Amino acid sequence: MVHAEEAVSFLFTHRQAQDLSTTINVVMIGGRPVCPLCQTPLDGGPHACVKQNGHHEIVQIIEAEDEEEE
């Protein structure tokens, strides 16, 4: 149970806030891709999209990384 008296405060500079914002964007971009219709994260398997009444499966295609990059 959370009490109203409990709180957390953070103090940081404007530059630190900008750095945090940049880091958050990098983490979000690196996350799971989302369905272009319903914006639900795709887990790599078939996805029954609610915008298509759950009848249209969207399959995520994962491209293999080039082995030459190693």
Side-chain angles (χ1 to χ4, degrees):
M1 181 175 182
V2 177
H3 298 283
E5 301 86 34
E6 297 176 4
V8 175
S9 296
F10 298 95
L11 181 63
F12 45 86
T13 66
H14 187 263
R15 178 68 188 161
Q16 289 171 322
Q18 288 176 325
D19 291 343
L20 177 60
S21 176
T22 299
T23 301
I24 290 171
N25 283 331
V26 168
V27 170
M28 295 299 295
I29 290 169
R32 295 181 293 177
V34 295
C35 171
L37 299 174
C38 69
Q39 304 303 309
T40 302
L42 299 173
D43 293 324
H47 166 68
C49 181
V50 296
K51 294 280 185 167
Q52 291 288 324
N53 248 354
H55 298 291
H56 179 72
E57 289 186 352
I58 297 174
V59 179
Q60 178 183 353
I61 299 172
I62 301 173
E63 295 182 19
E65 293 184 25
D66 293 337
E67 294 180 4
E68 296 174 359
E69 292 180 1
E70 294 177 0

